Amino acid sequence: MLMPACWCVLFCTSAQAGDKWKSEVNVLLDGIPDTWATTRLADEIEVNGLPMLIYEIEGPLRLRESAVMLATAWAKDKWKVTSKAAGHEVQIVGVRDGWLKQVNLSSNERKQTQGYLSMSDLPARMEADIDTKAPQLAKHLRKPSGTVILNEVRTVDMAGESILTTMTNNFDVEQNIAFYEEDRAAEAWKQTFKKTAEDNSGTVMRYVSGTQKEATYTVTRAAGQTFVVVNWITR
């Protein structure tokens, strides 16, 4: 079965000289031991319109030890900390000075800890009441009537910009495929790939434009709903 893409786009790059997060990197990584591996995901990331700084992390400790270590270090550094476990994952959230810092930890095959560490200014935005109007997502896409945007992640790195959008609507797979085939044909984009799953549960289509743009559409059906995931790349 063809499954909808995960929100996290793993474009690993180094931070650039003009990095607007430069002064916050140390704040985010406070509490992470020097022995841990840390990899930044993209130069710029926006999740549903909210700018975020995100690192992939990996350390030698077991999951429980890692969670206790990080929660203790954050609390000692004056963050207001909350933790919760869900299945095989532990989430730790810290709030301080208008910032929100969060880590989601799990165990890898070596029974060591891996996860994602992120930071945003969401608390400050909420306090300033500047987010009462929801950000407009998927502005670059035409959509069938009644389509709901579930999630959108925009990343920028040295290779260009990628926007990963997850949507749902009440039309079936074939109707969505026909809509987007007509939509890209109207813009003179060329279809370079199309494949349908053997059980007919979904289809993947890839299009390219004459201006170094590429769009991959993954259309699936599950639990009575149709999901459309679009990865829109501008190089």
Side-chain angles (χ1 to χ4, degrees):
M1 179 181 292
L2 300 169
M3 299 299 292
C6 176
W7 70 266
C8 194
V9 182
L10 305 183
F11 289 160
C12 302
T13 66
S14 60
Q16 298 179 354
D19 184 8
K20 66 180 180 181
W21 288 101
K22 186 176 182 180
S23 61
E24 281 78 37
V25 169
N26 290 337
V27 177
L28 177 63
L29 295 179
D30 277 348
I32 304 295
D34 293 338
T35 55
W36 285 45
T38 59
T39 305
R40 181 164 171 178
L41 305 186
D43 296 319
E44 296 180 30
I45 297 180
E46 291 182 2
V47 179
N48 296 328
L50 178 67
M52 298 185 73
L53 176 64
I54 303 178
Y55 272 75
E56 184 178 14
I57 59 174
E58 186 173 8
L61 299 179
R62 290 180 176 268
L63 178 60
R64 179 178 174 79
E65 295 173 305
S66 298
V68 171
M69 177 196 70
L70 289 177
T72 301
W74 291 8
K76 186 177 180 180
D77 205 23
K78 309 300 182 184
W79 291 83
K80 182 179 180 181
V81 177
T82 57
S83 304
K84 67 177 181 180
H88 299 290
E89 185 174 275
V90 176
Q91 180 186 84
I92 304 170
V93 176
V95 178
R96 189 188 76 184
D97 301 330
W99 294 99
L100 184 146
K101 184 160 69 166
Q102 176 175 315
V103 66
N104 290 73
L105 302 173
S106 60
S107 294
N108 59 24
E109 65 278 2
R110 301 186 302 277
K111 297 190 182 302
Q112 297 177 336
T113 301
Q114 63 185 11
Y116 292 95
L117 179 66
S118 64
M119 190 165 72
S120 72
D121 60 350
L122 180 59
R125 287 170 178 260
M126 293 178 66
E127 185 174 349
D129 199 30
I130 64 173
D131 282 349
T132 53
K133 183 177 180 181
Q136 185 179 355
L137 304 178
K139 293 182 290 186
H140 59 296
L141 299 175
R142 283 208 317 122
K143 301 167 284 294
S145 176
T147 294
V148 176
I149 310 301
L150 300 176
N151 196 57
E152 185 165 274
V153 179
R154 172 182 171 269
T155 65
V156 178
D157 64 7
M158 295 175 63
E161 177 188 61
S162 174
I163 305 176
L164 185 69
T165 308
T166 303
M167 307 176 286
T168 186
N169 60 50
N170 293 324
F171 296 103
D172 60 28
V173 170
E174 290 74 18
Q175 288 171 313
N176 276 277
I177 291 171
F179 177 91
Y180 286 108
E181 285 182 330
E182 180 180 338
D183 176 58
R184 289 302 86 206
E187 298 294 329
W189 286 42
K190 180 181 178 182
Q191 187 180 91
T192 61
F193 178 84
K194 183 177 181 180
K195 183 176 181 180
T196 299
E198 292 183 1
D199 60 0
N200 206 35
S201 61
T203 296
V204 176
M205 304 180 296
R206 184 179 300 119
Y207 292 87
V208 296
S209 75
T211 57
Q212 291 195 312
K213 290 186 178 182
E214 176 183 310
T216 301
Y217 297 80
T218 303
V219 187
T220 58
R221 185 79 176 169
Q225 280 188 289
T226 300
F227 297 90
V228 181
V229 178
V230 184
N231 191 20
W232 186 280
I233 298 172
T234 303
R235 294 187 173 87

